[in-house]
Amino acid sequence: MRTGGGMRPRPPRHHTKGGGQKRVEPLPAVVSSVSPKAEHGVVELPASLTVKELAELLEVTPSQVIKELLSNGVITSINQVIDYDTAAIVAQGLGFETREAVVVQAEEEIVSRGLAPVTRGELEERALLQPRPAVVTIMGHVDHGKTSLLDAIRETEVTAREVGGITQHIGAYQVEVHGKKITFLDTPGHEAFTAMRARGAQVTDLAVLVVAADDGVMPQTLEAIDHARAAKVPIIVALNKIDKPEANPQRVKQQLADAGLLIEEWGGDAVCVPVSAKKKMGIEHLLEMVLLVAEMAELKANPDRAARGVVIEARLDRTRGAVATVLIQDGTLKIGDNVLIGSIYGKVRAMFNDKGKRVKKAESATPVEILGLTGIPQAGDTLEVVHDEKTARAIAAERAQQKEAVTTTPAHLVSLDDLFAQIQSGRIKELNIILKTDVQGSIEPIKTSLEGLSTDKVKVNIIHQGAGSITESDVLLAQASKAIIIGFNTRPEPGAKRAAEATGVDIRFYDIIYNVIDDVGKALAGLLEPTYTQVIEGHAEVRQLFRIGKGQIVGGCMVTDGQVSRTAQCRVLRDGSVVCEGRIGGLRRFKDDVKEVQSGFECGISIEGFNDLQVGDIIESFRRERTN
Ligand code: GDP
């Protein structure tokens, strides 16, 4: 959302909407055709117009109009048409004088202005789109009250609508506010959110950022902001724990501003709502603001098409078999539909909503548990409806066969090495970077220099930054946002290292600022030459020789220092000279293949393509590590 000048209205600009400008609204909704002239706070309003059009006329944000309507007891949406009288009340409430304008029919307007007609297909498609509920994820620092807030929101629903009703835990739930639904994902936190994105599923429309008013902005608050931003998801701040005497909302607002998240009250675009999840204060207001921000996002879906959805959770139930919670993203899922989820198919036998109630159909943004699948899908998998069961089964079988290949091929990621090629081919226009440093002070100079490398072909974005080691969540964000990670005087946590290796995320380590800038600059220009350094792992001495099948020689060795690993490179030293350089072919202890053998242990070593080991030879095990 924007704020167009705050609540204090400015005299509106002279609007000229014509001039051959192409209009985008569906034609029948358009009635405001006269350029409304407003001088010194007088505004001409047509007999009817949408909330959005009124906001444009008054040069305020649609949210201000909706809020003004709300304070007059009128609940509207951004595209809702309101009449002159209603519009006049809003305008007057915002400090304008009003006058009714002459209305010209939309068709006449088209003729008189020569506007390009909208094609029939476009009109038909738009007509099929219906507003859908927003899907919301709650994020924030640990202990700031995410779970409590989710519970408090859920309880408003239980007490308000179905006393004694049991809310199921199915991974998501819906609440109704002023007759409109909102869907909340039940797994709070930006990690779950980004993990879904990394799997290619963007399910969330809005993020509610919980910040404890006593504790303020903390590292995970900053992470959550960056994760939501990287996904281009609007943020609503829930300033929690305001019941506490130590609560200091002003300090939090300042900290948020320092983090680049400016709230509306301070002229920014983020809605901020004070709440207490514990005392259930401000929850209703928060939900109203969620509705408001959702309105701005104009979320739409076509209820008449076959359903498409994403698996949020799946499990095997002892009595009911495979159970999957699916969030429908478009269309309507019905009992009897043949569905395909990855390599799993099925026919929807039964569906249950978040209240545990059996339902016959599920519309967009609705979470439902479905029964009837032949296996257990994974969270993040996409559900599609297929015409008949035979086709579903055939595609599932084909996918299962390909699965091995698919899972071992990493998603198309960005790497500094082939960055230039990717820019040249037009595949990337932005280089997203996650910057982690040892100390806070290093961030700003590196960030500024990196951003300064942007060219007209490619923009350098630092999507997340922070002091500390590289975490698994950083790797997830990099994977989801096609970013590279730069570690300046910092290393990855073990989990992060494994995750990066498994997903192919490019992590670069540096200890000199100049080298960071130089490398990224060269990569952008296509000049980066990788450089490697050798790291010696350890040595083993050949003490005996064995001959195994086909005459292959294996050295019976003792590891004398460090370690020898199965995947390392090696060289054989004889009397101080290198007689061979290659790879370890086999590494065994007793009869077992092993990954590595530490100093002080015996093992059998064979070397790929080399059959001339001799007693007394030293096998040196080493790795090449990139230094840029
Ligand atoms: P999460 O880790 O973000 O999910 O946080 P929790 O919901 O588990 O809450 C952490 C702690 O803060 C719990 O002890 C809650 O009872 C407490 N808490 C949560 N919301 C509020 C609140 O509005 N006021 C007060 N005083 N305590 C709260």
Side-chain angles (χ1 to χ4, degrees):
M1 286 200 312
R2 310 162 279 125
T3 40
M7 289 302 283
R8 196 142 287 282
R10 283 177 279 141
R13 247 188 294 131
H14 185 90
H15 280 252
T16 46
K17 269 188 163 181
Q21 222 176 310
K22 217 173 166 181
R23 69 180 322 134
V24 287
E25 298 93 338
L27 296 178
V30 178
V31 284
S32 151
S33 54
V34 173
S35 305
K37 295 181 193 72
E39 286 139 0
H40 314 301
V42 181
V43 63
E44 278 191 9
L45 299 171
S48 62
L49 77 175
T50 65
V51 167
K52 193 175 177 185
E53 286 168 337
L54 178 60
E56 278 167 16
L57 273 177
L58 303 180
E59 289 200 322
V60 297
T61 60
S63 73
Q64 283 173 280
V65 173
I66 295 176
K67 274 184 196 164
E68 190 64 31
L69 285 162
L70 204 63
S71 67
N72 283 289
V74 183
I75 299 150
T76 49
S77 60
I78 188 167
N79 286 319
Q80 195 155 332
V81 179
I82 51 174
D83 61 11
Y84 171 81
D85 292 338
T86 314
I89 292 170
V90 173
Q92 285 156 14
L94 292 171
F96 291 85
E97 267 185 56
T98 56
R99 205 158 53 205
E100 192 163 1
V102 185
V103 176
V104 180
Q105 287 305 307
E107 283 82 355
E108 287 175 42
E109 183 189 24
I110 297 162
V111 175
S112 67
R113 290 192 190 161
L115 295 178
V118 180
T119 67
R120 198 184 171 81
E122 272 171 356
L123 267 182
E124 279 172 4
E125 199 169 318
R126 280 189 219 158
L128 293 173
L129 289 178
Q130 304 278 331
R132 65 161 175 86
V135 181
V136 183
T137 296
I138 301 212
M139 301 182 182
H141 195 75
V142 64
D143 281 346
H144 278 199
K146 297 181 290 295
T147 316
S148 308
L149 187 61
L150 272 168
D151 290 345
I153 294 169
R154 200 191 323 242
E155 280 168 35
T156 29
E157 179 74 351
V158 174
T159 45
R161 296 185 56 235
E162 35 198 283
V163 181
I166 298 161
T167 317
Q168 298 275 103
H169 173 90
I170 66 164
Y173 65 80
Q174 277 193 325
V175 292
E176 211 169 293
V177 193
H178 303 312
K180 291 186 177 171
K181 288 182 178 145
I182 308 172
T183 305
F184 283 89
L185 293 180
D186 228 351
T187 319
H190 56 275
E191 288 91 352
F193 164 83
T194 301
M196 279 278 196
R197 279 185 65 224
R199 302 217 54 207
Q202 172 126 352
V203 273
T204 304
D205 303 304
L206 292 180
V208 168
L209 179 73
V210 180
V211 190
D214 57 337
D215 204 21
V217 169
M218 297 301 277
Q220 286 168 31
T221 318
L222 297 173
E223 260 188 45
I225 294 173
D226 288 344
H227 281 236
R229 279 199 173 142
K232 301 191 167 51
V233 165
I235 298 171
I236 297 173
V237 179
L239 205 53
N240 194 28
K241 307 198 186 183
I242 45 147
D243 58 290
K244 285 190 145 185
E246 315 87 277
N248 187 347
Q250 286 311 104
R251 185 176 70 113
V252 179
K253 288 172 190 172
Q254 181 59 55
Q255 290 172 330
L256 288 171
D258 292 343
L261 188 74
L262 208 56
I263 61 165
E264 274 191 323
E265 189 190 321
W266 290 19
D269 58 7
V271 176
C272 175
V273 184
V275 296
S276 165
K278 193 172 180 180
K279 298 260 151 85
K280 318 260 185 303
M281 282 155 55
I283 307 295
E284 183 93 7
H285 185 46
L286 175 69
L287 294 177
E288 282 171 358
M289 291 303 114
V290 168
L291 278 184
L292 189 84
V293 177
E295 285 295 342
M296 306 301 127
E298 297 190 59
L299 308 165
K300 297 234 166 97
N302 175 0
D304 297 328
R305 55 158 285 163
R308 206 167 42 74
V310 174
V311 175
I312 322 177
E313 277 183 4
R315 67 198 155 83
L316 185 65
D317 187 287
R318 265 197 297 147
T319 51
R320 302 190 297 169
V323 181
T325 300
V326 176
L327 181 79
I328 307 301
Q329 293 193 291
D330 202 0
T332 303
L333 186 66
K334 303 185 201 77
I335 300 272
D337 277 351
N338 291 296
V339 293
L340 192 59
I341 308 177
S343 56
I344 286 164
Y345 73 97
K347 197 182 191 71
V348 179
R349 204 155 35 83
M351 286 197 278
F352 298 89
N353 70 9
D354 55 334
K355 317 283 182 311
K357 211 174 131 208
R358 207 174 256 275
V359 289
K360 291 206 169 73
K361 59 178 190 165
E363 289 177 343
S364 203
T366 308
V368 270
E369 263 192 347
I370 60 171
L371 305 188
L373 297 177
T374 52
I376 303 166
Q378 279 187 32
D381 279 350
T382 307
L383 170 142
E384 301 154 88
V385 170
V386 184
H387 191 256
D388 59 274
E389 193 172 340
K390 206 171 138 207
T391 317
R393 201 181 315 134
I395 302 176
E398 198 176 304
R399 285 188 183 170
Q401 262 188 358
Q402 290 170 354
K403 200 165 184 175
E404 197 67 5
V406 173
T407 46
T408 49
T409 318
H412 199 86
L413 293 170
V414 175
S415 133
L416 268 199
D417 294 331
D418 63 353
L419 180 65
F420 185 67
Q422 291 182 320
I423 298 168
Q424 291 298 83
S425 68
R427 258 185 292 143
I428 70 163
K429 303 227 169 347
E430 291 181 326
L431 171 61
N432 289 336
I433 296 177
I434 293 170
L435 174 64
K436 294 302 280 277
T437 61
D438 52 344
V439 289
Q440 195 71 29
S442 310
I443 294 176
E444 221 37 57
I446 302 180
K447 182 179 173 181
T448 315
S449 308
L450 285 175
E451 284 173 345
L453 294 172
S454 297
T455 65
D456 52 352
K457 279 226 180 82
V458 55
K459 186 165 176 277
V460 179
N461 294 327
I462 310 294
I463 60 165
H464 179 57
Q465 62 202 359
S469 51
I470 296 160
T471 63
E472 253 184 282
S473 145
D474 293 332
V475 175
L476 264 181
L477 180 62
Q479 196 194 348
S481 308
K482 297 194 168 37
I484 62 160
I485 301 179
I486 290 182
F488 184 76
N489 278 330
T490 185
R491 308 299 297 177
E493 288 171 0
K497 192 161 183 252
R498 276 195 299 275
E501 278 164 7
T503 54
V505 165
D506 191 7
I507 307 186
R508 303 288 169 127
F509 303 102
Y510 296 91
D511 51 12
I512 297 168
I513 294 187
Y514 171 81
N515 289 346
V516 183
I517 315 306
D518 194 44
D519 269 10
V520 176
K522 279 183 176 155
L524 288 170
L527 302 171
L528 189 67
E529 290 280 345
T531 57
Y532 294 91
T533 177
Q534 263 185 37
V535 179
I536 310 275
E537 279 196 337
H539 296 93
E541 190 186 318
V542 180
R543 301 221 166 140
Q544 262 179 297
L545 294 175
F546 302 99
R547 206 168 280 276
I548 53 167
K550 292 192 182 158
Q552 168 81 49
I553 297 221
V554 175
C557 305
M558 165 63 82
V559 180
T560 51
D561 63 82
Q563 66 170 39
V564 174
S565 19
R566 170 70 183 78
T567 52
Q569 287 175 279
C570 67
R571 57 175 70 89
V572 178
L573 307 169
R574 189 173 297 159
D575 304 324
S577 313
V578 177
V579 291
C580 139
E581 201 167 295
R583 288 200 157 271
I584 306 252
L587 183 65
R588 287 189 152 198
R589 266 188 59 70
F590 304 106
K591 292 238 170 319
D592 299 327
D593 285 318
V594 290
K595 279 193 186 144
E596 59 203 23
V597 179
Q598 302 293 332
S599 160
F601 290 94
E602 289 181 337
C603 58
I605 301 178
S606 61
I607 293 165
E608 250 174 41
F610 181 72
N611 214 17
D612 187 31
L613 276 178
Q614 292 184 11
V615 172
D617 284 352
I618 304 290
I619 300 173
E620 184 171 77
S621 156
F622 67 93
R623 297 189 170 278
R624 289 183 196 277
E625 279 190 4
R626 279 191 69 138
T627 51
N628 64 351

